[in-house]
């Protein structure tokens, strides 16, 4: 009976949405239904916010049911933005109609800002002051973030540029909050030593889109502590560490008891759980993030030491970190007061300068110096030629030890981007395929290519009529051994492994089976993947205005011909 009433009433609702006059046929039938049935109809999910607004204007009964703090507008909000409901307490009074309006306005503002970013920042990475518009937005920040997440979750291969800049903005917003937490953490007194908390903040900062919390990571470490206690109970059933409660911080002074804890830890971590150092892929960033170290049970000295230090302290063993020039180590204090930790990098920098003055070809020292300067942001801005010198040093490292290609490639890529930003300050360079000096350029931006020698797949996002790198780079990369040397077109390509490379024309060929290139910067240059090629966004098209015509012609000749052969 109730179901029949609901079905009958549902037929009347569209008519109410079209007419505001209370004399509409069926109105009396609808308003005479029980309140819970009317509420059920209005919350069914088929009515939009505009529908609810029109329905509520028809009569007093429906207006009361659609009150701003009631269930109807709450359901409208929940259906439209379900991920936001976790921010509301069931006991709080909420004006859901007002929240809906504020969230809607925040979404429009978010899309407006995202749309403006490509034009403003195509030539460089978005600077910190580029987010000033976001900082001045009115309304809750969570609404703005939620709209950015909605953009990132848009289906399909379109809106790549929107997704690229939405991700940049979302990174900034979340990193700013994490940075504020980290600053507050660093202001804690010297005796407040929670290295794990600091590591989690860094983990969150580097992975702002991941769900990482100190509570979850601490819970995983507590489970390891339980395994250690189980092993320790077999060594010494009356060990004082077994009586510690969660959150307690007591130190055991007897060396023998400390040694028993360390023996149990070593067994659990390295024999039972198989934690290990990553010697094969040392510079992989996953080795540093605590949530990944716990999942993969793999790390490097600093992350493994941090895990070991946290567990030891929970069980009463005093260990102290030692910032050694090449590695991060731990010292077993054996009951004695340890030395303070030197927070300054000055000694390390001075030591490196001294060592390199004596041993200029020491690869590890050169690499450490480059990493130190890069991560501290010590760029010689006053002299552009010195930036090029940094690049030469990195290429020198590559020549001395080709095995360092991973670390060198990372630093080279960011150094090249630094150089490109300097070049862009001169102005936008427009390259026309019809220009006589570009007659030898065979490929166009957006085409999916394959490297003949190394076999990697890539997409072209720029080209030069001849190699534009310096003599040092040309020599180190052995460009002279190519049949056409450096007097041939070179292409900037985004590679499927996440790297950016500068490839000679004779080393590239069309990829007969084109596929999407999984590179984080694809959205910076392209707006859509069509299945055969990428379409440049407005900013890239300004720089290569004639390339798109060549792309269409190439796709027609290469892939259409292939399809015809298959059909035959």
């Amino acid at each position: 009976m109730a179901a029949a009433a609901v079905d009958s009433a549902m037929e009347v609702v569209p008519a109410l949405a079209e007419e505001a006059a209370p004399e509409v046929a069926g109105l009396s039938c609808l308003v005479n239904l029980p309140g819970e049935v009317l509420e059920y109809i209005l919350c069914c999910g088929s009515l939009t916010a505009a529908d609810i607004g029109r329905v509520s204007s028809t009569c007093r009964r429906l207006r009361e049911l659609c009150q701003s703090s009631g269930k109807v507008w709450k359901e409208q909000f929940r259906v439209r933005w379900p991920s936001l409901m976790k921010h509301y307490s069931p006991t709080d009074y909420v004006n859901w109609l007002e929240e809906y309006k504020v969230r809607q306005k925040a979404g429009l503002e978010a899309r407006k800002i995202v749309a403006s970013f490509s034009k403003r920042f195509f030539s460089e990475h978005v600077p910190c002051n580029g987010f000033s518009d976001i900082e001045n937005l009115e309304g809750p920040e969570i609404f703005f973030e939620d709209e950015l997440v909605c953009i990132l979750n848009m289906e399909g291969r379109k809106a790549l540029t929107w997704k690229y800049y939405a991700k940049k903005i979302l990174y900034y917003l979340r990193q700013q909050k994490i940075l504020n937490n980290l600053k507050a953490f660093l202001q804690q007194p010297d005796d407040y030593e929670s290295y794990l908390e600091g590591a989690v903040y860094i983990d969150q900062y580097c992975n702002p889109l991941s769900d990482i919390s100190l509570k979850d990571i601490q819970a995983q470490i507590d489970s390891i502590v339980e395994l250690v206690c189980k092993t320790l109970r077999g060594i010494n059933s009356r060990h004082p560490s077994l009586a510690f409660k969660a959150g307690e911080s007591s130190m055991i002074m007897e060396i023998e008891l400390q040694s028993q804890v360390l023996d149990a830890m070593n067994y659990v971590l390295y024999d039972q759980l198989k934690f290990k150092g990553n010697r094969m892929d040392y510079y992989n960033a996953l080795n540093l993030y605590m949530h990944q170290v716990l999942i993969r049970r793999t790390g490097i000295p600093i992350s493994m030491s941090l895990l070991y230090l946290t567990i030891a302290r929970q069980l009463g063993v005093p260990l102290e970190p030692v910032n050694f020039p090449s590695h991060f180590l731990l010292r077993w204090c054996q009951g004695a007061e340890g030395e303070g930790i030197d927070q300054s990098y000055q000694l390390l920098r001075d030591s490196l300068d001294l060592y390199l003055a004596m041993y200029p070809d020491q690869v590890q020292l050169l690499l450490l110096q480059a990493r130190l300067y890069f991560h501290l942001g010590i760029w010689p801005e006053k002299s552009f030629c010195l930036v090029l010198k940094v690049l030469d040093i990195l290429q020198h490292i590559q020549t001395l030890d080709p095995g360092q290609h991973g670390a060198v490639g990372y630093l080279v890529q960011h150094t090249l981007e630094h150089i490109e930003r300097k070049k862009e300050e001169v102005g936008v360079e427009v390259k026309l395929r019809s220009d006589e000096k570009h007659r030898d350029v065979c490929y166009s931006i957006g085409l999916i290519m394959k490297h003949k020698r190394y076999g990697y797949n890539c997409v072209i996002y720029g080209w030069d009529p001849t190699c534009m790198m310096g003599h040092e780079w040309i020599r180190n990369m052995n460009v002279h051994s190519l049949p056409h040397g450096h007097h041939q077109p070179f292409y900037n390509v985004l590679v499927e492994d996440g790297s950016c490379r500068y490839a000679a024309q004779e080393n590239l060929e069309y990829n007969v089976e084109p596929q999407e290139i999984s590179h984080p910067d694809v959205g910076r240059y392209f707006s859509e993947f069509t299945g055969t090629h990428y379409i440049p966004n407005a900013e890239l098209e300004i720089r290569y205005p004639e390339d798109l015509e060549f792309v269409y012609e190439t796709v027609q000749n290469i892939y259409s011909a292939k399809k015809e052969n298959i059909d035959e």
Side-chain angles (χ1 to χ4, degrees), residues 108 148 187 202 213 237 274 282 289 319 328-329 342 357 372 384 388 410 454 480 491 508 548 568:
L108 295 174
L148 295 174
Q187 295 300 318
I202 294 173
S213 70
S237 60
K274 306 297 183 184
Y282 186 90
Y289 305 142
L319 301 179
F328 187 90
L329 309 176
D342 184 5
L372 179 66
F384 184 56
L388 297 175
Y410 171 76
Y454 298 117
H480 291 299
Y491 297 84
L508 295 176
L548 198 54
E568 292 175 1

Side-chain angles (χ1 to χ4, degrees), residues 283 366-375 379 390-391 394 397 404-418:
Y283 293 101
L366 286 167
L367 188 58
L368 183 59
Q369 184 183 51
R371 289 172 57 204
L372 179 66
Y373 281 9
F374 174 75
H375 289 294
W379 285 104
V390 172
L391 184 59
L394 291 171
I397 295 173
Q404 299 293 339
H405 64 88
V408 170
Y410 171 76
L411 294 171
V412 166
Q413 177 179 337
H414 286 273
T415 306
L416 287 172
E417 290 178 354
H418 185 83

